[in-house]
Amino acid sequence: INSAPRPTLSKSYHTPDQSVTSYRSSLRIRQEKRNMDSRLAPANVDPNELPSGFSTNDPNGSSAGAEQQNQAQNRQAQKDAILQQALTPDALQRLRRIKLVNADKAVGVENLIASMAMQGKLPGRVSEDRLIEMLEGLGAKEAKESSSRINFQRKKYAFDSDSDNDDDL
């Protein structure tokens, strides 16, 4: 029989008072962190008061993100204005309903109509029937691109002959 001493497991027993105290102290620390975060609001500093080499720009680049977002909103507003001029009210309503259901398809048609309108290729306003035709054409084009064929290529061996009829075996 093995006479080596067994390692003992140290058990730590906490009294209920100790666990409540540690819980309260962790809550207090969390509250202090929250209070500290709320006190760290960005300061409104006059750019003339800053020392040389410092700026009021956000180092994380959030001002650039806001500028890109503003540009995207401007592009969307331009596209909406073009669509309102190029589509009849019924067609515009239908396009907005389609956008709720299938946003990708609607954005594709919006881009198509906007580009055609800017190039002067639209003969008058697009009616609801013409919009339906455009949607069907875009749907057929997408279906054609998404359908892929599987082509099986079997290996030919030296002893195989194309003129052989293997059915009679």
Side-chain angles (χ1 to χ4, degrees):
I1 296 180
N2 191 357
S3 64
R6 287 180 156 183
T8 59
L9 299 174
S10 63
K11 296 181 182 179
S12 59
Y13 295 101
H14 295 287
T15 63
D17 293 336
Q18 288 175 334
S19 61
V20 169
T21 306
S22 63
Y23 177 73
R24 285 182 184 160
S25 65
S26 66
L27 281 179
R28 186 176 32 83
I29 291 170
R30 285 185 208 148
Q31 287 174 343
E32 287 175 3
K33 284 183 180 178
R34 280 191 213 124
N35 291 339
M36 190 180 293
D37 290 341
S38 65
R39 287 182 290 197
L40 295 176
N44 294 328
V45 177
D46 184 26
N48 297 329
E49 295 176 7
L50 292 175
S52 64
F54 288 87
S55 70
T56 57
N57 294 340
D58 186 10
N60 296 327
S62 65
S63 62
E67 185 177 317
Q68 288 175 351
Q69 187 178 17
N70 193 14
Q71 288 177 353
Q73 287 176 350
N74 288 341
R75 276 185 261 134
Q76 184 63 35
Q78 279 181 329
K79 189 163 74 168
D80 289 342
I82 291 171
L83 290 174
Q84 285 180 345
Q85 291 176 357
L87 296 171
T88 62
D90 294 335
L92 190 61
Q93 285 179 352
R94 180 177 284 266
L95 186 61
R96 288 182 180 152
R97 285 192 306 264
I98 291 170
K99 195 171 191 175
L100 292 174
V101 177
N102 192 345
D104 294 336
K105 188 178 251 187
V107 167
V109 171
E110 284 178 355
N111 292 337
L112 178 67
I113 292 171
S115 67
M116 288 174 68
M118 289 192 299
Q119 294 171 2
K121 293 183 179 179
L122 281 179
R125 294 180 85 177
V126 176
S127 66
E128 188 174 2
D129 296 331
R130 176 77 174 118
L131 178 67
I132 292 171
E133 290 174 12
M134 292 173 100
L135 286 165
E136 288 173 349
L138 190 66
K141 186 187 239 184
E142 288 176 359
K144 190 175 184 181
E145 290 173 358
S146 68
S147 68
S148 61
R149 292 185 52 130
I150 299 174
N151 190 11
F152 292 101
Q153 293 181 349
R154 297 195 175 135
K155 292 183 179 180
K156 293 193 175 199
Y157 296 101
F159 57 86
D160 281 346
S161 151
D162 291 338
S163 62
D164 253 355
N165 187 0
D166 293 333
D167 293 335
D168 58 336
L169 294 177

